[in-house]
Amino acid sequence: MHPWLSRLLLILLVLGGRAVLALEGVPGPDGLVVSASRPASEVGGAVLAAGGNAVDAAVATGFALAVTYPAAGNIGGGGFMIVRLPDGSATSFDFRETAPAAARPDMFLDDRGEIDPDRIEAGYLAVGVPGTVRGLALAHARLGRLPWRDLVEPAARLARDGFPISPTLAAALNRELAGPMQPFPGSLTAYGKPDGLPWLAGDQLVLADLAATLEAIAADGSDAFYTGRIAGLLAEAMAAHGGLITLADLAGYAARERPPVRGRFLGHEVISMGPPSSGGTALLQMLGMFEALGLERLAADSGEAIHLTTEIRRRAYLDRAKFLGDPDFVTMPGDQLLSRPYLKHLAAGIDRERATDSRQLAGDLVGPPCDESDETTHYSIVDAAGMAVATTVTLEGSYGSHVVAPGTGFLLNNEMGDFNRKPGQTTLSGEIGTLPNQIAPAKRMLSSMTPTIVTKDGRVVLVTGSPGGRTIINTVFDVITGVVARGLDGSAAVAAPRFHHQWLPDRLIVERGGLAPDVRRQLEALGHAVIERGSQGAAHSIWLDPQTGTPLGIADQRGPDAAAAAAPLPAVIGESSQ
Ligand code: DON
């Protein structure tokens, strides 16, 4: 038995047949990386041990995830990074994908004017101009300390030498190869097992083209991706297969540094991602309404608390649909949406005895009559000096568009589907057709990613975020209220059952077994349509233990391969069980 096993406390929460194993947090006084993949966390931990700061570790972990966590780790997609510096200042990096110049608002409609899901879920047309490589390069140029090459090289090495795959990754690759990747020869070449047999857990996955791509990026910087040989291969494949992205789209892509959104919540400061993510704005709205209603005084699992938090979620998601989009294209009432009087006004409209009808709440927004997919990945980092980084990246769907352009070695996103797909059509099933998130050339599609840092008295107390499409904001809200309002420790807040309401469709979704039967009956009597689901999100977090002042890494056990790595190595001591 590993010596560290004795340090782990296994909390077994049996939730209606769903077993969630949560580890006690992994201590990391000298810095910590918590991500969806053990080898990627180890890469970040090694960078911290080598004197890199949290941004260096975030860059290295990001590239490593593109190798070891291909469902969502990426260089062919995008994401957001929040950085909080030891002096209390904070910034954010927006490397969200953009629509290519040839994109049009109706590009996902078929001949009858209906949304064609096939064009959105897979294939070249679904791909937005990738932002990750420019974004990581911008963050590094602004705040990194170690040489760029040293941060990209570990990922290139993992791709070149290979790494043993987990049972989860083996099964996912076999599903991809037999299904969604079939139409794309570049994907089959990149991810097929050389002998043509199915992958088995423990097999060594070598990604030769990806290694060459990463080596070029390590040597020549982000230009290798956006104007060099890789750009040429991408544009060529796009032109040959009905995609829109051109050399000019790639050369014109720019990541942006933006001020994060910041707000107060019960004596804490919450720092999160502003537009083009809806995450931070909606999160701060929900926390503001929570505080206005004094919900910290209610038991979290009571019918009253769940009813009122559901009403809060409903109202924030409606504002998301009405107002939010790419700030470079859309004028938004940002400050007003987060003002105390406005949030008090929203909270005052909540009926304590009755669920609000989402359609009525929206006025004339909803016309006559989708689930978002569940793949993205979040990682959290702190370094010894107290710099904290929260990063969420995505290809949108699991394995994105399922396309690897021949010779490039990496998966491309299908992020274009995050735009509103049919102008003017907002439906009870959750399709949104409002103007702010309509497709336009070079525009960023609205996101729900919510990388977030919470501080108190000038110290970081929580770094968190999650995958999960529109559920992300609710997951982050649940984790933060668990720690800040309920006084849970970080592990318990991450393990606690999660809830989701997104205005439309008008239903309250609960992790299976997360509601006591009598509370469910109470909620249904108030008018909520309650639905159970499997797990929601994967909030790989860092929480500062107030007793000891030590940061603890919490790998959310909803992500089967997640791990925390503490610096200095080799103290890699957190790992989830299958
Ligand atoms: O940016 C967004 O909000 C989505 N593309 C994220 C997709 C996602 O989280 C899917 N899964 N876990």
Short mmCIF file of all heavy atoms in Angstrom, two decimals, residues 80 96 277 320 372-377 392 394-398 415 418 445-449 466-470 472, ligand 1:
data_model
loop_
_atom_site.label_atom_id
_atom_site.label_comp_id
_atom_site.label_asym_id
_atom_site.label_seq_id
_atom_site.Cartn_x
_atom_site.Cartn_y
_atom_site.Cartn_z
N PHE A 80 -11.21 29.68 -20.83
CA PHE A 80 -11.06 30.91 -20.04
C PHE A 80 -10.17 30.63 -18.84
O PHE A 80 -10.23 29.55 -18.26
CB PHE A 80 -12.41 31.39 -19.52
CG PHE A 80 -13.42 31.69 -20.59
CD1 PHE A 80 -14.47 30.83 -20.84
CD2 PHE A 80 -13.32 32.85 -21.35
CE1 PHE A 80 -15.41 31.11 -21.82
CE2 PHE A 80 -14.25 33.15 -22.33
CZ PHE A 80 -15.30 32.27 -22.58
N ARG A 96 -11.73 32.14 -26.07
CA ARG A 96 -12.92 31.53 -26.64
C ARG A 96 -12.76 31.50 -28.16
O ARG A 96 -12.21 32.43 -28.77
CB ARG A 96 -14.11 32.39 -26.26
CG ARG A 96 -15.46 31.85 -26.68
CD ARG A 96 -15.82 30.60 -25.96
NE ARG A 96 -17.25 30.31 -26.05
CZ ARG A 96 -17.76 29.13 -25.75
NH1 ARG A 96 -16.99 28.13 -25.36
NH2 ARG A 96 -19.06 28.93 -25.83
N SER A 277 -18.27 34.72 -21.54
CA SER A 277 -18.91 33.67 -20.75
C SER A 277 -20.06 34.30 -19.98
O SER A 277 -19.93 35.42 -19.47
CB SER A 277 -17.96 33.01 -19.78
OG SER A 277 -18.69 31.99 -19.09
N ARG A 320 -29.44 35.61 -18.55
CA ARG A 320 -28.39 35.10 -19.44
C ARG A 320 -28.90 35.06 -20.88
O ARG A 320 -28.24 35.54 -21.81
CB ARG A 320 -27.98 33.70 -18.97
CG ARG A 320 -27.06 32.94 -19.88
CD ARG A 320 -26.96 31.49 -19.37
NE ARG A 320 -25.95 30.73 -20.10
CZ ARG A 320 -26.18 30.12 -21.25
NH1 ARG A 320 -27.36 30.20 -21.84
NH2 ARG A 320 -25.20 29.42 -21.84
N GLU A 372 -27.46 20.25 -23.66
CA GLU A 372 -26.07 20.48 -24.00
C GLU A 372 -25.25 19.29 -23.57
O GLU A 372 -25.56 18.63 -22.58
CB GLU A 372 -25.58 21.76 -23.33
CG GLU A 372 -25.81 22.95 -24.24
CD GLU A 372 -25.63 24.26 -23.52
OE1 GLU A 372 -24.48 24.63 -23.28
OE2 GLU A 372 -26.64 24.91 -23.24
N SER A 373 -24.25 19.01 -24.30
CA SER A 373 -23.45 17.82 -24.02
C SER A 373 -22.59 18.07 -22.79
O SER A 373 -22.56 19.16 -22.24
CB SER A 373 -22.55 17.55 -25.20
OG SER A 373 -21.81 18.71 -25.45
N ASP A 374 -21.89 17.06 -22.40
CA ASP A 374 -21.30 17.06 -21.08
C ASP A 374 -19.79 16.93 -21.10
O ASP A 374 -19.26 16.19 -20.30
CB ASP A 374 -21.94 15.92 -20.30
CG ASP A 374 -22.36 16.39 -18.94
OD1 ASP A 374 -22.65 17.57 -18.81
OD2 ASP A 374 -22.37 15.56 -18.02
N GLU A 375 -19.10 17.63 -21.95
CA GLU A 375 -17.65 17.52 -21.89
C GLU A 375 -16.94 18.85 -22.01
O GLU A 375 -17.15 19.60 -22.94
CB GLU A 375 -17.12 16.57 -22.97
CG GLU A 375 -17.01 15.16 -22.50
CD GLU A 375 -16.37 14.95 -21.14
OE1 GLU A 375 -15.53 15.75 -20.71
OE2 GLU A 375 -16.73 13.96 -20.49
N THR A 376 -16.10 19.06 -21.12
CA THR A 376 -15.32 20.26 -20.91
C THR A 376 -14.44 19.85 -19.77
O THR A 376 -14.66 18.79 -19.17
CB THR A 376 -16.27 21.42 -20.51
OG1 THR A 376 -17.05 21.77 -21.64
CG2 THR A 376 -15.53 22.65 -20.01
N THR A 377 -13.45 20.65 -19.39
CA THR A 377 -12.70 20.25 -18.21
C THR A 377 -12.15 21.46 -17.49
O THR A 377 -11.77 22.45 -18.12
CB THR A 377 -11.58 19.23 -18.58
OG1 THR A 377 -11.06 18.68 -17.38
CG2 THR A 377 -10.47 19.86 -19.39
N THR A 392 -10.93 26.79 -17.25
CA THR A 392 -11.85 25.82 -17.83
C THR A 392 -11.67 25.86 -19.34
O THR A 392 -11.64 26.95 -19.93
CB THR A 392 -13.32 26.15 -17.47
OG1 THR A 392 -13.42 26.44 -16.08
CG2 THR A 392 -14.23 24.98 -17.81
N THR A 394 -12.60 23.74 -23.25
CA THR A 394 -13.59 22.84 -23.84
C THR A 394 -13.41 22.70 -25.34
O THR A 394 -12.84 23.57 -26.01
CB THR A 394 -15.02 23.37 -23.57
OG1 THR A 394 -15.98 22.38 -23.95
CG2 THR A 394 -15.31 24.65 -24.33
N LEU A 395 -13.91 21.54 -25.83
CA LEU A 395 -14.11 21.36 -27.26
C LEU A 395 -15.61 21.45 -27.58
O LEU A 395 -16.03 21.14 -28.67
CB LEU A 395 -13.59 19.98 -27.69
CG LEU A 395 -12.08 19.78 -27.67
CD1 LEU A 395 -11.73 18.30 -27.82
CD2 LEU A 395 -11.41 20.58 -28.78
N GLU A 396 -16.42 21.80 -26.56
CA GLU A 396 -17.89 21.78 -26.53
C GLU A 396 -18.35 20.33 -26.29
O GLU A 396 -18.36 19.90 -25.17
CB GLU A 396 -18.49 22.43 -27.78
CG GLU A 396 -19.95 22.21 -28.08
CD GLU A 396 -20.95 22.26 -26.89
OE1 GLU A 396 -20.64 22.78 -25.82
OE2 GLU A 396 -22.05 21.72 -27.07
N GLY A 397 -18.73 19.57 -27.29
CA GLY A 397 -19.13 18.19 -27.03
C GLY A 397 -17.92 17.34 -26.66
O GLY A 397 -16.77 17.75 -26.86
N SER A 398 -18.17 16.16 -26.12
CA SER A 398 -17.09 15.24 -25.85
C SER A 398 -16.40 14.90 -27.18
O SER A 398 -17.06 14.53 -28.14
CB SER A 398 -17.68 13.98 -25.23
OG SER A 398 -16.68 13.16 -24.75
N GLU A 415 -17.69 24.13 -31.32
CA GLU A 415 -18.20 25.22 -30.47
C GLU A 415 -19.23 26.10 -31.17
O GLU A 415 -19.96 26.83 -30.51
CB GLU A 415 -17.02 26.08 -30.01
CG GLU A 415 -17.14 26.61 -28.60
CD GLU A 415 -16.86 25.55 -27.55
OE1 GLU A 415 -15.79 24.92 -27.61
OE2 GLU A 415 -17.71 25.34 -26.68
N ASP A 418 -22.64 26.59 -29.80
CA ASP A 418 -22.97 27.40 -28.61
C ASP A 418 -23.58 28.75 -28.99
O ASP A 418 -24.07 29.48 -28.13
CB ASP A 418 -21.72 27.64 -27.76
CG ASP A 418 -21.50 26.51 -26.76
OD1 ASP A 418 -22.26 25.53 -26.80
OD2 ASP A 418 -20.57 26.61 -25.94
N MET A 445 -18.88 32.91 -29.37
CA MET A 445 -20.15 32.33 -28.93
C MET A 445 -20.25 32.37 -27.40
O MET A 445 -19.23 32.26 -26.71
CB MET A 445 -20.32 30.90 -29.46
CG MET A 445 -19.23 29.90 -29.10
SD MET A 445 -17.58 30.22 -29.82
CE MET A 445 -17.75 29.66 -31.50
N LEU A 446 -21.46 32.56 -26.90
CA LEU A 446 -21.66 32.66 -25.45
C LEU A 446 -21.30 31.32 -24.78
O LEU A 446 -21.63 30.25 -25.30
CB LEU A 446 -23.12 33.01 -25.14
CG LEU A 446 -23.46 33.28 -23.67
CD1 LEU A 446 -22.75 34.53 -23.17
CD2 LEU A 446 -24.97 33.42 -23.49
N SER A 447 -20.66 31.40 -23.65
CA SER A 447 -20.26 30.21 -22.90
C SER A 447 -20.91 30.22 -21.52
O SER A 447 -21.38 31.25 -21.04
CB SER A 447 -18.74 30.21 -22.75
OG SER A 447 -18.33 29.16 -21.89
N SER A 448 -20.90 29.06 -20.90
CA SER A 448 -21.31 28.96 -19.49
C SER A 448 -20.13 28.66 -18.58
O SER A 448 -20.32 28.46 -17.37
CB SER A 448 -22.35 27.85 -19.31
OG SER A 448 -23.49 28.12 -20.08
N MET A 449 -18.94 28.59 -19.12
CA MET A 449 -17.79 28.20 -18.30
C MET A 449 -17.55 29.24 -17.20
O MET A 449 -17.61 30.44 -17.45
CB MET A 449 -16.56 28.00 -19.17
CG MET A 449 -16.69 26.76 -20.06
SD MET A 449 -15.20 26.35 -20.96
CE MET A 449 -15.31 27.47 -22.34
N SER A 466 -16.06 23.94 -13.37
CA SER A 466 -16.59 22.62 -13.72
C SER A 466 -16.86 22.54 -15.21
O SER A 466 -17.07 23.56 -15.86
CB SER A 466 -17.90 22.37 -12.97
OG SER A 466 -18.46 21.14 -13.32
N PRO A 467 -16.94 21.32 -15.75
CA PRO A 467 -17.60 21.13 -17.04
C PRO A 467 -19.11 21.01 -16.85
O PRO A 467 -19.60 21.05 -15.72
CB PRO A 467 -17.02 19.80 -17.52
CG PRO A 467 -16.73 19.05 -16.28
CD PRO A 467 -16.37 20.08 -15.23
N GLY A 468 -19.83 20.83 -17.96
CA GLY A 468 -21.26 20.52 -17.85
C GLY A 468 -22.19 21.44 -18.61
O GLY A 468 -23.37 21.51 -18.28
N GLY A 469 -21.69 22.15 -19.63
CA GLY A 469 -22.59 23.00 -20.42
C GLY A 469 -23.31 23.98 -19.52
O GLY A 469 -22.71 24.58 -18.62
N ARG A 470 -24.60 24.12 -19.73
CA ARG A 470 -25.34 25.12 -18.95
C ARG A 470 -25.41 24.76 -17.46
O ARG A 470 -25.72 25.62 -16.64
CB ARG A 470 -26.74 25.32 -19.52
CG ARG A 470 -26.74 26.40 -20.61
CD ARG A 470 -28.15 26.70 -21.10
NE ARG A 470 -28.34 26.18 -22.45
CZ ARG A 470 -29.43 26.37 -23.18
NH1 ARG A 470 -30.45 27.04 -22.68
NH2 ARG A 470 -29.53 25.88 -24.40
N ILE A 472 -22.93 24.18 -15.66
CA ILE A 472 -21.69 24.60 -15.00
C ILE A 472 -21.95 25.66 -13.93
O ILE A 472 -21.44 25.59 -12.82
CB ILE A 472 -20.69 25.17 -16.05
CG1 ILE A 472 -20.19 24.07 -16.98
CG2 ILE A 472 -19.52 25.88 -15.35
CD1 ILE A 472 -19.36 24.58 -18.15
O1 DON B 1 -18.79 26.96 -23.34
C1 DON B 1 -19.71 26.31 -22.92
O2 DON B 1 -20.48 26.69 -22.09
C2 DON B 1 -19.91 24.90 -23.44
N1 DON B 1 -19.34 24.74 -24.74
C3 DON B 1 -19.31 23.97 -22.49
C4 DON B 1 -19.59 22.58 -22.91
C5 DON B 1 -19.53 21.70 -21.79
O3 DON B 1 -19.28 22.04 -20.67
C6 DON B 1 -19.84 20.35 -22.09
N2 DON B 1 -19.47 19.61 -20.95
N3 DON B 1 -19.17 19.16 -20.10
#
